[in-house]
Amino acid sequence: MEWLIIFVLLLFGLGLIIVELIFVPGTTIVGIAGVVIGGYGIYITYNSYGNTMGDLVLSITLVVTLTALVITLKTKSWERFSLKDSNSSRVNDDIKVELQVGQEGLSVSSIRPIGKASFDDQILEVRSNGEYIYENVPVKIIRIDQNKIYIESLNKKSK
């Protein structure tokens, strides 16, 4: 019965280490838990069956862990789970609106300092120069820099 507990602990620890390598980037609790659980299985072996059997289980565990690590890295199995596409779109890129400096609109959301405003019945992402502008406040375009629209409040009650 004790061998079954040791085997399950070692297998579970190895499984957590592999999960760490494939699914969870960086050294996190999952990998540390795998090492601790596997280490506890080895500790039980040393404690219950002596140094010879403990050394044998430790050696086998290290060989299996290193083999799994090498196979995982060589087959690049983590690439099946990784993101391969990149988002190349930009804010307000697909909107063909003729906006002009001085044009007035209405804030649709709170702008702190980025939010949304409506100009000519189209809602666009806008930014202020650091001021907080509440929702439903009249705004005016003060600058257009590429796809970035800078506004200011026409109400001086904004924060």
Side-chain angles (χ1 to χ4, degrees):
M1 181 67 174
E2 208 166 284
W3 273 109
L4 181 63
I5 293 172
I6 292 169
F7 180 73
V8 168
L9 285 173
L10 294 175
L11 195 62
F12 189 64
L14 178 63
L16 287 177
I17 292 170
I18 291 173
V19 165
E20 168 74 27
L21 291 172
I22 294 175
F23 297 110
V24 186
T27 305
T28 60
I29 292 178
V30 176
I32 294 170
V35 170
V36 169
I37 290 171
Y40 185 64
I42 293 169
Y43 169 77
I44 291 174
T45 305
Y46 273 108
N47 199 29
S48 299
Y49 297 102
N51 287 343
T52 306
M53 192 56 71
D55 290 341
L56 179 65
V57 169
L58 176 63
S59 301
I60 291 171
T61 303
L62 286 176
V63 167
V64 169
T65 303
L66 291 176
T67 303
L69 177 65
V70 168
I71 290 171
T72 302
L73 293 176
K74 282 196 175 198
T75 61
K76 298 181 181 178
S77 61
W78 70 88
E79 287 184 1
R80 289 184 297 224
F81 305 104
S82 66
L83 180 64
K84 294 173 184 60
D85 297 333
S86 63
N87 186 358
S88 61
S89 66
R90 297 172 59 165
V91 175
N92 299 337
D93 214 15
D94 58 338
I95 298 173
K96 308 286 190 260
V97 177
E98 294 297 323
L99 296 176
Q100 299 173 11
V101 174
Q103 187 172 348
E104 295 182 4
L106 187 69
S107 63
V108 176
S109 69
S110 297
I111 300 167
R112 45 188 154 171
I114 296 176
K116 295 190 180 285
S118 173
F119 298 97
D120 294 333
D121 295 326
Q122 286 202 308
I123 298 173
L124 303 168
E125 184 174 284
V126 296
R127 53 186 71 209
S128 70
N129 284 329
E131 76 178 300
Y132 183 95
I133 301 173
Y134 292 101
E135 189 175 341
N136 296 322
V137 172
V139 294
K140 176 175 76 170
I141 298 175
I142 57 172
R143 185 173 87 220
I144 300 174
D145 185 20
Q146 294 176 344
N147 291 336
K148 296 177 184 167
I149 303 165
Y150 293 88
I151 60 153
E152 69 179 11
S153 172
L154 291 176
N155 256 356
K156 293 305 171 190
K157 289 174 84 176
S158 294
K159 204 172 184 184

